[in-house]
Amino acid sequence: MNDLRELYQEVIFDHYRKPRNFRRMDDANHSAEGYNPLCGDKVTVYLKVEDGRICDASFEGSGCAISTASASLMTDSLKGKSEAEALQMLAEFHGMVTGPMAGGAPVALGKLEALAGVREFPQRVKCATLAWHTLQAALKNQHDKVTTE
């Protein structure tokens, strides 16, 4: 179990130090801003959606390791997914980080399982879910800033 926890920590720090898809997407047709006032995390999620499928996803912002890694892992995982699949991933991810899980994290989440340990630190759940709530707003074309409060 310690080896698995260390591997997950490595994944989180790798995505924090070298976030994937960290860029403004000028041709995005969906976007939203999110803010976690508790710790100051800020994120903007950009999506390019065509025929109900996410062709590209990126983000900009600043935040802690958990927030940045979550946004990086999320944008990697979204590409090629339908909007419905993205919302299902959001629900599974939220369940993974907020509740006790029997038998481990869902296999469908892949590398996102690296963030499963966040559920042991309730004060960090908002950091891990900020990008996901912002994704939901982007898919719905909501222009009000998303907040974790």
Side-chain angles (χ1 to χ4, degrees):
M1 184 66 170
N2 255 356
D3 289 342
L4 187 57
R5 184 168 282 179
E6 287 177 24
L7 173 64
Y8 284 173
Q9 286 177 346
E10 281 183 40
V11 169
I12 290 168
F13 283 117
D14 181 48
H15 278 265
Y16 172 62
R17 287 189 297 265
K18 296 178 284 186
R20 281 46 155 201
N21 309 303
F22 187 82
R23 60 184 160 70
R24 178 179 182 83
M25 186 188 310
D26 291 327
D27 62 344
N29 54 10
H30 294 265
S31 65
E33 292 180 45
Y35 177 58
N36 179 354
L38 187 64
C39 66
D41 297 337
K42 293 179 183 180
V43 67
T44 302
V45 172
Y46 302 98
L47 303 172
K48 184 170 184 179
V49 180
E50 294 178 357
D51 299 321
R53 196 154 294 280
I54 299 169
C55 300
D56 198 7
S58 68
F59 75 102
E60 287 183 310
S62 60
C64 66
I66 298 293
S67 177
T68 302
S70 183
S72 177
L73 287 158
M74 179 192 77
T75 54
D76 256 1
S77 299
L78 289 174
K79 293 177 185 177
K81 300 282 191 282
S82 69
E83 291 179 64
E85 289 170 323
L87 292 172
Q88 180 62 36
M89 284 177 62
L90 182 154
E92 290 179 19
F93 181 82
H94 193 268
M96 177 184 74
V97 298
T98 60
M101 302 209 41
V107 175
L109 293 178
K111 287 184 177 183
L112 291 165
E113 292 176 28
L115 293 160
V118 168
R119 73 177 167 271
E120 296 174 23
F121 306 95
Q123 69 277 16
R124 302 311 301 268
V125 169
K126 290 180 180 184
C127 301
T129 59
L130 177 62
W132 291 89
H133 291 299
T134 308
L135 161 70
Q136 185 174 33
L139 286 171
K140 293 179 179 182
N141 278 323
Q142 294 175 339
H143 298 288
D144 293 337
K145 189 176 284 191
V146 175
T147 180
T148 57
E149 294 303 310

